[in-house]
Amino acid sequence: MDYNKTLNLPKTDFPMKANLPLREPEILKKWEDMDIYHKSLNKNKGKEKFILHDGPPYANGNIHLGTAMNKVLKDMIVKYKTMRGFDAPYVPGWDTHGLPIEQQAIKTLGIKRNEVGPVEFRKVCRDFAFSQIEKQKSQFIRLGVRGDWKNPYLTLKHEYEAKQIEVFGEMAKKGYIYKGLKPVYWCTDCETALAEAEIEYSDEKSDSIYVKFRVIDDLGKFKGIVDDLNNLYFVIWTTTTWTIPANLAICLNPEFDYVLAKYGKEIYIMAKDMLDDIERETGLENREVIATFKGKDLEGMRAKHPLFDRSSLIILGDHVTLEAGTGCVHTAPGHGEEDFIVGQKYGLDVLNPVDDKGRFTEKAGKYKGLFYADANKVIKEDLEKVNALLASKTLTHSYPHCWRCKNPVIFRATEQWFASVDGFRDEALNAIRKVNWIPEWGEDRITNMVRDRHDWCISRQRIWGVPIPIFYCKHCGKELINDDTINAVKRLFSEKGSDAWYEYTAEEILPKGTKCECGSTEFRKETDIMDVWFDSGSSHVAVLETTEGLRWPADLYLEGSDQHRGWFQSSLLTSVATRGIAPYKSVLTHGFVVDGEGRKMSKSLGNGIDPADVVKEYGADILRLWTVSADFTSDMRISKEILKQMTESYRKIRNTAKFLLSNLYDFDVDKDALPYEELLDIDKWALYKYNQLVKDVTTAFDKYKFYEFLHLVHTFCIVDMSNLYLDILKDRLYTFPAASKERRAAQTTLYTILDGFVRIIAPVLTFTADEIWSYMKPDANNNLESVQLADWPQPNDVYDNKEIVDKWNKLFDIRKDVSKALEISRANKEIGHSLEAQVDIYASNDLYEFLKQFEEDLNTVFIVSNTVLHNEDDNIPDNSYRSEDYKLAIKISHAPGEKCERCWMYSETVGTDKEHPTICARCASHI
């Protein structure tokens, strides 16, 4: 007789080999055909909403690992919240205006901006943006991200641009928008102003020069101290040699001590506390201090500019420190924010001798036409020629760069449009305190940024973007902006888009009869566009307030930690300025993606990994599992080795699912399931472990601690299930009668675990969970097309049977000692497989009584053929294994009897049944 046919061996078509790169696209097609997004929405229609507002990625190029991680995290949250019963729509978006698209349109399509009209140029930019959106959209969908991909929000859509104009108008109405001449970050390569959020810092080599400015008017205060002013100098220090032509003043700290220090024939005025450093840097020696003054005593003096026929005023400012330099600060109001502010106090001109391209104008005299960086060498040579250069070195220091083109930027005074953060800073800081920041340090970070910010430069000298809706009187030059003009532009953009600004004249846009205060009816339009951060920063209004199914404010914003200075901040500022509160209730940030050694990914290092390559080789679920493999609030490491580790972890999760599925082939939950009370104690232990998994994962997900998922699930699959429960269960599942109460108890437990387990992994392993679901037999309560439409598992208090759990945990602890003894015996070649063994346990009285209650289960728990319990008083064999944790000894020997052909256990009952002479009595009774 073939006894194999009498066993309940595992059966399932669920493949062990995942083959995710091929299988996942099939699942995507299924989701598309069934319209999974809208079905998931309809499931919870009318229930409490959860709104995660998508920060728009820039529509330029393929997605990178950071973008992939961001979208996967958002997808996990939305899917989890949907399964928890929330109405959780997800409307993805794209940031579609700005310089990078202009540059790519010019580069890719070979057009020249100045040779085509603005309307034609903008059309080229728009077409390029749409091509990038489609490319990125397909890449996001391939990651398993569920959303309203057919109706994303785009910052170039007519209705979006109209709402942005509305936000601008509301801020202008409250007096927060103004035009001013002040130094701003300026990229000479991109030829536009930049906001602080568009600045990155990296090391740059610069000249470090000490320059002498000869005193020409000492206000009589040095009389009797210095005989000849021709040898008396204020010494300044700068790392921007090119700004010397724009110098108009030298700034001192009013409370610092300044000395007249004589070196040879010349006398230098410098901060007393900086002398040692200055001498070390310049080589000056043999100092003779002939007088000391407070900085405030020197105010109003004048020094001769070393290169131009004008004087530099000695002024005072609290921004002067003793961190570096001489304490005498070179002041060029046209090239520095602090210089500008202190210059305004003293009525200094705002001299800016540099044009949009970074070349000197006629205001720079002989340097006209020179690019500012090239002028450094020439200016330094000229300073040396006139004996004004005291010392020069090369310095490596952190310097601002354009975040788009990566080139150094300059500070340059130009007329720009600004949003006055000063006007609502207190309200913004108060709003920040009411937001839940995750991690908590995010609150301090954005608070410090907003507290130190005075204004926001919102104008850009480009074409591809939303025009600043300002008109100017052609007669008197006065700006025109009011409710009527804003509404006119808003209506126009809503109907025709912002291209209309370039297609229509000011008179065609403005309401009929519009007049300037001077009486003129002729106007011209502003040529600048808005900062793209104003575009995306208006999304909370343009999307949340206008899209059906969404609401304002959002429950959650989730982006990289760099967005405290970017989208988080621009959204906060526009929201507080127009609505009085933040546009989000919680803000969650993640770190950056680095390589396995913690290095930033770059082309030069050759350590970049393309998410498309990961998906192609491993599958999207492996990338998704990596996303939760570590604390994503810090930088996330990735490498081929790490991905291989993820593959191994995934395989163990898949193995567990396969085992559960393969032992439920003949189980009908509606007919065969047993009540909890009729389950075996070990089944109840397993349900406790499962119940704890549900609680722990739920708590982790509620707190957005997705990085706890892998540890929790992996421990459950390997430690609780594979190494213990499932290993012990095999005998009952395979050898007991198919419909026996013992086997049905096991299957009831397996079904309960599988049904909850597949839901738990669904937000993370979204493809695999759906695949598992498709192999599960539908039942009366569970006939949904996808696990994504199922509810999140709920903890069951009945399963928290602590008495049973504590008892079985202790037995499993003893099992470790038995396993060690078996391993030693196997190494000594006394046994092969553990089923060849008999285990004799010599236990203390209490332990003996404890084990006695499990006596019928011990063979199954230890996976041996025979277990004999002895009281510790019995003679313990000399070569017994002794436990380090318990008062017990273990002796391993070969089990008596013959090997049962059916269950493989050794038994003295083999051969006692004449009809089945090769199997044990237990197996004979089972068949």
Side-chain angles (χ1 to χ4, degrees):
M1 183 175 181
D2 185 357
Y3 288 111
N4 272 343
K5 292 181 180 179
T6 70
L7 295 171
N8 313 303
L9 296 176
K11 296 176 188 174
T12 181
D13 291 330
F14 180 76
M16 187 60 258
K17 185 174 173 57
N19 211 0
L20 294 175
L22 292 178
R23 189 166 286 117
E24 287 174 345
E26 297 171 1
I27 297 172
L28 282 174
K29 180 68 167 61
K30 168 193 158 186
W31 291 341
E32 182 182 7
D33 291 345
M34 66 183 283
D35 191 8
I36 188 70
Y37 174 70
H38 287 99
K39 283 193 174 177
S40 67
L41 284 185
N42 292 335
K43 168 181 174 284
N44 295 328
K45 195 170 185 180
K47 294 184 180 180
E48 183 182 351
K49 286 189 177 294
F50 178 86
I51 306 299
L52 187 157
H53 181 38
D54 188 34
Y58 205 76
N60 183 23
N62 294 313
I63 68 171
H64 52 75
L65 270 174
T67 328
M69 178 175 74
N70 175 265
K71 274 292 192 288
V72 167
L73 285 171
K74 290 174 180 174
D75 186 56
M76 290 175 189
I77 291 172
V78 170
K79 284 175 177 169
Y80 170 67
K81 289 294 184 179
T82 300
M83 295 180 77
R84 289 278 277 164
F86 289 91
D87 179 2
Y90 177 63
V91 179
W94 272 273
D95 203 351
T96 55
H97 290 131
L99 179 62
I101 288 178
E102 283 195 26
Q103 292 174 325
Q104 286 300 321
I106 292 169
K107 178 181 175 181
T108 306
L109 303 173
I111 64 169
K112 294 184 178 178
R113 187 179 64 163
N114 298 327
E115 293 181 5
V116 296
V119 176
E120 178 61 26
F121 182 74
R122 285 169 62 89
K123 181 181 182 302
V124 171
C125 290
R126 180 181 295 102
D127 291 345
F128 180 81
F130 274 121
S131 72
Q132 301 305 296
I133 290 167
E134 289 306 309
K135 178 197 298 182
Q136 292 185 3
K137 183 192 298 183
S138 65
Q139 293 168 348
F140 288 138
I141 291 173
R142 179 62 188 85
L143 294 174
V145 179
R146 188 183 73 201
D148 195 359
W149 294 110
K150 293 181 180 178
N151 300 290
Y153 80 84
L154 310 175
T155 59
L156 57 68
K157 281 187 175 180
H158 297 178
E159 57 271 25
Y160 189 106
E161 293 175 330
K163 292 299 285 187
Q164 185 174 329
I165 294 299
E166 179 185 299
V167 171
F168 182 93
E170 289 180 36
M171 292 179 68
K173 190 175 182 179
K174 292 182 178 181
Y176 298 145
I177 304 294
Y178 71 95
K179 192 172 192 179
L181 173 67
K182 63 168 64 177
V184 294
Y185 290 111
W186 186 274
C187 179
T188 58
D189 187 68
C190 301
E191 296 180 43
T192 187
L194 300 173
E196 288 179 37
E198 297 170 302
I199 296 300
E200 293 178 344
Y201 283 84
S202 56
D203 286 347
E204 188 79 13
K205 284 187 177 180
S206 302
D207 285 329
S208 167
I209 62 171
Y210 292 81
V211 182
K212 302 184 297 185
F213 282 65
R214 183 168 57 83
V215 178
I216 56 175
D217 183 357
D218 65 351
L219 303 179
K221 292 189 177 183
F222 297 152
K223 190 175 181 181
I225 301 172
V226 178
D227 297 328
D228 185 2
L229 294 183
N230 286 324
N231 290 321
L232 179 61
Y233 303 88
F234 282 94
V235 177
I236 66 95
W237 170 78
T238 184
T239 57
T240 52
T241 305
W242 63 271
T243 62
I244 291 292
N247 176 280
L248 296 178
I250 297 171
C251 193
L252 316 180
N253 188 296
E255 301 304 322
F256 289 172
D257 288 328
Y258 289 83
V259 299
L260 276 64
K262 188 173 183 180
Y263 297 90
K265 294 181 179 180
E266 295 185 336
I267 301 170
Y268 303 141
I269 303 172
M270 303 176 290
K272 178 182 176 181
D273 291 342
M274 295 300 294
L275 290 179
D276 291 342
D277 290 344
I278 294 168
E279 290 171 356
R280 186 165 51 251
E281 291 295 313
T282 62
L284 289 172
E285 55 187 8
N286 300 323
R287 173 207 317 166
E288 179 188 352
V289 175
I290 59 176
T292 302
F293 291 85
K294 287 291 184 184
K296 58 189 174 186
D297 298 330
L298 309 181
E299 182 182 22
M301 293 183 180
R302 287 191 173 271
K304 171 78 173 61
H305 193 293
L307 299 178
F308 290 83
D309 188 17
R310 63 171 184 264
S311 64
S312 296
L313 181 67
I314 308 306
I315 61 178
L316 304 177
D318 292 331
H319 65 282
V320 178
T321 70
L322 298 176
E323 291 178 5
T326 66
C328 304
V329 174
H330 156 54
T331 302
H335 291 305
E337 185 174 13
E338 291 172 329
D339 299 25
F340 172 82
I341 293 170
V342 73
Q344 292 290 292
K345 178 181 174 183
Y346 285 90
L348 300 178
D349 290 339
V350 184
L351 174 60
N352 168 31
V354 178
D355 67 14
D356 294 0
K357 297 180 185 295
R359 298 190 176 280
F360 279 115
T361 66
E362 63 278 354
K363 292 180 181 179
K366 64 174 286 190
Y367 306 112
K368 178 184 177 181
L370 275 177
F371 184 59
Y372 81 93
D374 298 332
N376 285 327
K377 181 181 178 183
V378 180
I379 292 170
K380 192 167 71 168
E381 289 173 350
D382 286 350
L383 288 171
E384 198 165 14
K385 287 177 185 176
V386 297
N387 192 33
L389 186 65
L390 181 62
S392 174
K393 286 188 173 182
T394 300
L395 173 74
T396 299
H397 61 143
S398 183
Y399 191 83
H401 288 66
C402 173
W403 77 324
R404 297 296 191 192
C405 69
K406 308 302 181 185
N407 289 316
V409 300
I410 62 174
F411 253 107
R412 176 173 176 265
T414 59
E415 276 202 329
Q416 301 290 339
W417 284 98
F418 296 89
S420 173
V421 179
D422 283 335
F424 53 90
R425 184 193 292 106
D426 290 343
E427 291 91 334
L429 293 173
N430 186 50
I432 290 170
R433 286 190 286 271
K434 295 178 180 178
V435 174
N436 177 32
W437 298 91
I438 312 165
E440 291 180 356
W441 54 256
E443 179 175 349
D444 290 337
R445 187 172 189 186
I446 194 168
T447 294
N448 293 334
M449 290 176 173
V450 172
R451 182 184 289 126
D452 295 339
R453 192 170 190 176
H454 298 286
D455 48 41
W456 170 10
C457 179
I458 58 172
S459 51
R460 296 293 180 272
Q461 291 64 50
R462 309 302 300 182
I463 294 175
W464 178 233
V466 177
I468 292 179
I470 305 283
F471 301 87
Y472 300 91
C473 175
K474 285 185 177 180
H475 180 70
C476 69
K478 184 175 176 60
E479 299 96 350
L480 175 67
I481 177 173
N482 55 43
D483 287 347
D484 291 338
T485 65
I486 286 294
N487 287 332
V489 176
K490 180 183 171 183
R491 282 193 300 271
L492 180 66
F493 285 11
S494 181
E495 294 173 11
K496 300 181 180 296
S498 59
D499 280 358
W501 187 259
Y502 300 92
E503 295 170 337
Y504 294 88
T505 64
E507 286 70 27
E508 289 173 320
I509 297 173
L510 290 167
K512 289 184 179 180
T514 300
K515 283 187 179 182
C516 177
E517 292 176 1
C518 72
S520 173
T521 58
E522 293 186 326
F523 298 90
R524 63 179 177 85
K525 298 168 293 183
E526 173 62 69
T527 57
D528 287 353
I529 62 169
M530 289 190 220
D531 174 16
V532 290
W533 288 112
F534 202 101
D535 289 20
S536 58
S538 302
S539 65
H540 61 92
V541 175
V543 179
L544 298 182
E545 291 187 356
T546 64
T547 307
E548 184 180 356
L550 302 184
R551 61 146 167 77
W552 190 99
D555 291 288
L556 182 67
Y557 274 33
L558 165 57
E559 302 299 331
S561 55
D562 57 336
Q563 294 307 311
H564 291 106
R565 67 171 185 159
W567 189 55
F568 297 155
Q569 190 175 152
S570 63
S571 298
L572 175 80
L573 297 180
T574 58
S575 182
V576 171
T578 60
R579 304 292 190 271
I581 63 172
Y584 35 67
K585 297 176 184 177
S586 295
V587 172
L588 174 62
T589 56
H590 59 75
F592 299 102
V593 179
V594 295
D595 69 11
E597 298 177 25
R599 300 175 301 176
K600 183 179 178 182
M601 291 188 170
S602 67
K603 290 181 179 178
S604 59
L605 291 174
N607 61 348
I609 295 178
D610 189 334
D613 292 338
V614 177
V615 171
K616 186 177 180 181
E617 184 174 352
Y618 301 99
D621 266 358
I622 300 302
L623 187 63
R624 294 175 71 97
L625 192 61
W626 163 78
T627 302
V628 297
S629 64
D631 185 351
F632 57 79
T633 59
S634 302
D635 288 349
M636 287 282 291
R637 297 190 178 208
I638 192 169
S639 64
K640 288 192 174 181
E641 290 71 26
I642 290 172
L643 287 170
K644 286 177 183 176
Q645 292 170 17
M646 292 303 102
T647 303
E648 184 60 23
S649 295
Y650 170 85
R651 187 181 64 80
K652 289 172 180 175
I653 294 171
R654 190 178 181 93
N655 269 345
T656 301
K658 181 178 173 65
F659 184 92
L660 298 174
L661 282 169
S662 65
N663 285 287
L664 291 169
Y665 62 90
D666 63 341
F667 181 76
D668 185 335
V669 68
D670 297 322
K671 298 176 183 177
D672 302 325
L674 298 180
Y676 178 78
E677 296 75 19
E678 296 182 24
L679 302 181
L680 277 63
D681 279 0
I682 191 172
D683 300 327
K684 294 176 180 178
W685 175 89
L687 288 177
Y688 170 86
K689 287 294 185 180
Y690 156 73
N691 208 42
Q692 199 58 48
L693 177 70
V694 173
K695 290 180 181 179
D696 290 344
V697 174
T698 302
T699 299
F701 281 15
D702 280 344
K703 294 180 179 179
Y704 303 121
K705 294 183 177 181
F706 290 95
Y707 46 85
E708 293 184 3
F709 169 89
L710 183 55
H711 171 71
L712 291 169
V713 170
H714 189 267
T715 300
F716 178 75
C717 289
I718 303 306
V719 178
D720 298 333
M721 294 292 104
S722 181
N723 292 351
L724 283 176
Y725 182 64
L726 302 183
D727 200 23
I728 294 167
L729 204 61
K730 290 174 184 174
D731 181 71
R732 186 162 29 130
L733 286 170
Y734 302 165
T735 70
F736 278 55
S740 65
K741 186 175 180 180
E742 294 87 351
R743 185 164 178 272
R744 292 305 190 207
Q747 289 180 307
T748 300
T749 306
L750 294 185
Y751 174 84
T752 304
I753 291 172
L754 177 62
D755 184 63
F757 180 75
V758 69
R759 298 166 195 246
I760 285 172
I761 68 171
V764 179
L765 299 174
T766 193
F767 291 101
T768 302
D770 216 77
E771 183 188 3
I772 294 168
W773 187 266
S774 70
Y775 283 91
M776 291 172 63
K777 293 166 67 174
D779 56 70
N781 299 315
N782 230 358
N783 53 5
L784 303 168
E785 295 174 85
S786 168
V787 68
Q788 294 183 36
L789 304 177
D791 292 332
W792 187 256
Q794 296 299 314
N796 190 334
D797 292 341
V798 175
Y799 296 164
D800 286 341
N801 198 324
K802 195 168 188 310
E803 183 182 346
I804 288 177
V805 170
D806 289 345
K807 186 171 70 172
W808 279 84
N809 280 344
K810 185 175 181 179
L811 179 60
F812 289 148
D813 214 24
I814 294 170
R815 183 179 187 261
K816 294 177 184 175
D817 281 320
V818 174
S819 296
K820 289 177 185 176
L822 288 168
E823 191 56 42
I824 292 170
S825 187
R826 187 181 292 113
N828 293 334
K829 303 193 183 305
E830 294 167 357
I831 61 167
H833 192 279
S834 66
L835 286 177
E836 295 180 14
Q838 171 173 305
V839 178
D840 285 83
I841 297 178
Y842 299 81
S844 64
N845 290 334
D846 290 345
L847 205 54
Y848 176 82
E849 292 301 326
F850 172 78
L851 290 169
K852 196 73 176 172
Q853 64 183 316
F854 294 102
E855 195 161 19
E856 292 185 6
D857 300 313
L858 293 180
N859 290 346
T860 307
V861 171
F862 298 152
I863 314 179
V864 296
S865 288
N866 195 34
T867 304
V868 181
L869 291 177
H870 304 269
N871 194 290
E872 192 179 33
D873 294 337
D874 294 347
N875 292 325
I876 302 173
D878 293 337
N879 59 346
S880 299
Y881 171 86
R882 292 184 179 271
S883 170
E884 296 178 2
D885 302 313
Y886 294 98
K887 279 189 169 186
L888 62 80
I890 302 166
K891 171 63 178 173
I892 305 297
S893 59
H894 199 288
E898 299 296 321
K899 181 178 181 181
C900 173
E901 187 180 325
R902 184 171 180 270
C903 69
W904 294 7
M905 295 178 78
Y906 283 77
S907 173
E908 292 178 317
T909 65
V910 174
T912 58
D913 189 315
K914 293 180 180 179
E915 291 185 24
H916 305 286
T918 59
I919 65 174
C920 66
R922 187 187 66 139
C923 283
S925 68
H926 287 169
I927 61 173

